[in-house]
Amino acid sequence: CKGTLRHSGSVRCVTYSPDGKHIATASGDKTVKVWDAGTMEEKGTLTGHSGWVTCVAYSPDNKSLASASYDGTVKLWDLSGETPVEKGTLRGHSDYVNCVAYSPDNKSLASAS
């Protein structure tokens, strides 16, 4: 074991970036954290959800991250710079969003309640 990926709430989801260099975690503390996969050092905390974050998914090109939440939204995060930046919020679910996934060709994003 290289280390423990900690949040102040329970970790709901963990995923590696497609290039294997980073790990993203989703938590009941309403945040997403990005970690260096080699050192397990925290690289950033993404805030903005008002409910538990249930799922995270990297885009196939490593440039974006999507997060699903009990607040009924999916947030998109731009990872192309030094610091992740929120790109937008997708609304439309009438209940908790439990899962999110990018298509392999990077053209679509699926989410499920």
Side-chain angles (χ1 to χ4, degrees):
C1 179
K2 288 186 177 183
T4 303
L5 307 175
R6 296 197 186 274
H7 281 261
S8 62
S10 62
V11 174
R12 312 298 295 173
C13 179
V14 60
T15 188
Y16 275 90
S17 61
D19 64 7
K21 294 180 180 179
H22 295 96
I23 298 170
T25 52
S27 175
D29 66 9
K30 305 176 188 175
T31 69
V32 173
K33 290 189 179 190
V34 177
W35 310 82
D36 181 292
T39 65
M40 297 300 167
E41 176 185 337
E42 183 181 332
K43 303 306 285 181
T45 299
L46 313 181
T47 61
H49 282 293
S50 61
W52 286 14
V53 184
T54 55
C55 186
V56 286
Y58 279 95
S59 62
D61 63 6
N62 277 319
K63 294 181 181 176
S64 297
L65 185 72
S67 56
S69 173
Y70 274 15
D71 65 12
T73 69
V74 172
K75 289 193 177 289
L76 302 176
W77 307 90
D78 182 356
L79 303 178
S80 62
E82 184 66 28
T83 304
V85 176
E86 186 180 337
K87 291 197 305 188
T89 301
L90 305 176
R91 303 182 196 306
H93 286 274
S94 60
D95 203 353
Y96 303 148
V97 184
N98 293 306
C99 196
V100 64
Y102 280 91
S103 63
D105 65 4
N106 207 41
K107 293 182 179 180
S108 299
L109 181 70
S111 59
S113 291

